[in-house]
Amino acid sequence: MIFGILAALFVQSPVQAKTTFPDVRPDDWASVYIQALAERGIILGFPDGSFRPNDPVTRAQFAVMIGKAFKLGFARNAIRFTDVPNNYWAANAIQKAYTARFLSGYPESVFMPDQPMPRVQVFVALASGLQLSDRIVGSSDAYVGTLKDSKSIPEYALNGLLEALSYRFCINYPDVHVLNPNRASTRAEVAASIYQALVATGQAPRIPSPYIFEDFLYEPGRPKP
């Protein structure tokens, strides 16, 4: 109980970062994650120097980001997507993300590279590609129960979301208890989740934030920091 209270107090004030992007203020909720990934070359700005944190992230853009963030393994054979020609700007990144099981296609060998990524798909993609499920404890119902919009989570995403919640990929701003699973993920949100995935795999130090959903972490029998 005392540990949980201390942990809650510890994350009340988000860490700030002085960013190199004019449209990302130091006090923006995701500034520290954006800056950390920018320094690693995982995310880039636009030609005008902006980052555009509120822009949606497409499936192709996400494939490129995770290719820069992680060393992608080989889990299945490549597939030719009918809507991703060989000269498409992200064709190579898409194939690598697919063979590493971070991303999958749709029926009829379609990938939809320009489709915005819903937030829940980002969480499921990270969980699938990083394959951390062997360390999960508990059920999806128990983990998502305190999310105010848990009933809007697609059935197919529950297992992957369980992993994402367990390893703190889910950063919910401005309300930590609202997941917004079906809304298009923004560049700021994807940056935060990718950083959290780096933390989960031991590749980055943990950054305290009041927007990391971790209500369940201090209950007996469940994962702890």
Side-chain angles (χ1 to χ4, degrees):
M1 179 67 178
I2 294 176
F3 179 76
I5 293 174
L6 291 174
L9 292 173
F10 179 63
V11 300
Q12 285 305 302
S13 299
V15 177
Q16 297 183 3
K18 187 175 182 179
T19 73
T20 55
F21 302 110
D23 56 345
V24 180
R25 301 188 314 273
D27 60 346
D28 283 348
W29 72 271
S31 62
V32 66
Y33 303 110
I34 293 169
Q35 184 62 22
L37 295 194
E39 290 174 355
R40 292 172 178 238
I42 295 172
I43 55 176
L44 303 173
F46 290 88
D48 63 359
S50 66
F51 180 74
R52 304 178 193 175
N54 297 318
D55 279 7
V57 172
T58 67
R59 286 166 56 79
Q61 291 170 341
F62 182 76
V64 172
M65 289 179 183
I66 60 172
K68 292 181 178 180
F70 307 104
K71 184 177 180 180
L72 304 188
F74 183 86
R76 59 184 171 186
N77 293 328
I79 184 174
R80 180 176 176 80
F81 294 111
T82 58
D83 56 346
V84 182
N86 292 335
N87 61 351
Y88 184 73
W89 70 274
N92 188 49
I94 289 171
Q95 282 296 338
K96 288 183 177 180
Y98 175 82
T99 57
R101 290 191 182 275
F102 275 91
L103 290 170
S104 294
Y106 293 95
E108 308 297 329
S109 299
V110 171
F111 185 78
M112 298 186 184
D114 298 321
Q115 180 186 73
M117 287 273 290
R119 278 171 50 79
V120 74
Q121 283 190 17
V122 170
F123 304 142
V124 170
L126 290 171
S128 175
L130 295 176
Q131 300 180 23
L132 299 173
S133 59
D134 59 322
R135 291 183 282 168
I136 298 299
V137 179
S139 69
S140 58
D141 288 342
Y143 276 67
V144 304
T146 58
L147 288 168
K148 296 176 183 177
D149 54 353
S150 60
K151 292 183 178 179
S152 63
I153 297 169
E155 183 75 21
Y156 79 85
L158 285 175
N159 288 337
L161 183 60
L162 169 61
E163 298 177 34
L165 291 171
S166 298
Y167 291 95
R168 306 168 191 85
F169 301 162
C170 300
I171 297 188
N172 303 330
Y173 174 86
D175 187 339
V176 71
H177 291 104
V178 177
L179 187 69
N180 286 314
N182 302 306
R183 174 175 59 72
S185 223
T186 66
R187 285 168 57 78
E189 289 169 339
V190 170
S193 288
I194 288 178
Y195 186 88
Q196 287 297 105
L198 289 171
V199 173
T201 53
Q203 300 176 70
R206 189 178 182 218
I207 297 175
S209 170
Y211 306 116
I212 300 174
F213 182 79
E214 51 186 355
D215 280 5
F216 54 83
L217 293 179
Y218 309 109
E219 297 181 21
R222 293 185 180 169
K224 294 183 179 180

